[in-house]
Amino acid sequence: MSDDGDDGGGDDGFGVGTAVALGVGGIVGGGIYAAIGIVVAAAGILTWFAYSLATVVVLCCAYSYVKLNDATDSNGGSVTYIEELTGRSTTAGVVGWTLVVGYIGTMAMYAYAFGMYGQMLIGFEYVWGLPIRQFLSVGILAIFIGLNLLGAGSSAAVERYLVFVQAGIIAVFGLIGLWYGAANFQLRTGFAELGLNPVIAASVGFVSFEGWQLLFYDQEQFDDPDETLAKGVFISIPIAAAIYILVGFVITTLLPEEVIAAQPEPALLYGGLLISKWLALAVGLAGLISTASAINSTLFSEAIFAKNLIGDDILPHEMGDPDADAAPKRTVIVIGVLTAAFAVLGSLEAVVEFASLAFIVVFGTMCALALTVRDSDDVDVNPIPPLLGAIGSAAFFVMLTWYLYSQLPAVFWLVVVIAVAVFTVEALYFKRETLSEGVRTVEKRI
């Protein structure tokens, strides 16, 4: 599998270079092309500050993940950390289900954004009376579902090179916008407008930073996983954050406030700058490639993640075969269909903010768990980063919930309904498993 000898990898796996590329691609591929419009709408001129706040919390959460990974023998991320360190299978199950649904929401966000970029490039909203955005969103999902069913899942080597398209074009866009704004004396920091809005915006766009922890689900692909993942995570997050901060700053200083408020979709924000029609075209094409790549890699990673949960009896075996060599076909189909439903029926605000809530809860839980192992002899944990991560995640959860309830009540109740439905199904499943175990125990005694 190795073609990564130039970045420190050995003969058997990928090295730090690929870990960084996958981390940057996973983060930027989603947020900068899909979720940035929601953050801009919430923070306005202080979008760059909102991303800075989110970066601090995310780095603390990443530190917690790295230390938990060092403290455990299992690979697989949040769920296995909880199971191994606490023995609480029900808590692990809640986190597992939350992540599965959170990833579905994330992929729906990517699919929604893909449809918007396609619609922007095509130039009209309907084809034969059908809405082009929904058609494109479902179409791209169908393509990658088909590819995964054929066994052509996400390739680390391919994803590595796509990063140059995903991050490179948007970084150039940001630099050109920065030069244009400076030349025309349009740049401003917005410090005079400091308040709660940047904190709310940081919580709204928290899902923008979720891609890095996908690296923990398939650690076998890396040489010396512990060291490689730590370096990959702590290098990729600041790189992605710098791009977010740069682009957020450029967009909000060059576009009028009324345009920002009326155009939360990233495709329309980028198109609205009109610095150059060729640059707008390049950003549109990069948006298509980036969101499509993010769908592909997330679908593959989530299917593998779900397979592991099925093997641990956290998800029902009806969802797929845990002994499959690759992603189980039924798992891919179920995840893909649910994602398509989210992408077609939900609004961009709903899917972004639902996914953000899910990852805020999970990341905050990992920070709290890291605090419990700080005195372990097996790993040296500085308590400050996990503490800041837990406090920041709790603050983001409160802020986002309050924002949805007060400003977007329809989205708030939609999120509540989804959460209740997920936890009800989860509770019924675990209750059924407990009853089944009891029946088997009685039968053995008889």
Side-chain angles (χ1 to χ4, degrees), residues 189-248:
T189 62
F191 274 124
E193 301 178 26
L194 273 176
L196 285 179
N197 283 351
V199 183
I200 295 172
S203 65
V204 166
F206 197 80
V207 68
S208 302
F209 285 93
E210 64 83 23
W212 56 268
Q213 44 88 47
L214 293 173
L215 297 174
F216 290 86
Y217 294 148
D218 192 14
Q219 299 183 35
E220 292 81 5
Q221 67 179 324
F222 296 107
D223 290 321
D224 190 9
D226 289 344
E227 182 178 353
T228 300
L229 287 179
K231 290 180 179 178
V233 165
F234 290 128
I235 296 173
S236 63
I237 293 175
I239 291 174
I243 294 173
Y244 281 148
I245 293 168
L246 170 64
V247 174

Side-chain angles (χ1 to χ4, degrees), residues 27 69 82 88 90 108-109 138-139 153 184 212 219 229 235 262 275 279 283 301 304 331 386:
I27 299 170
N69 200 59
I82 294 173
R88 298 177 179 177
T90 301
M109 175 183 74
V138 174
N184 290 276
W212 56 268
Q219 299 183 35
L229 287 179
I235 296 173
I275 296 174
L279 185 58
V283 171
S301 296
I304 297 298
T331 306

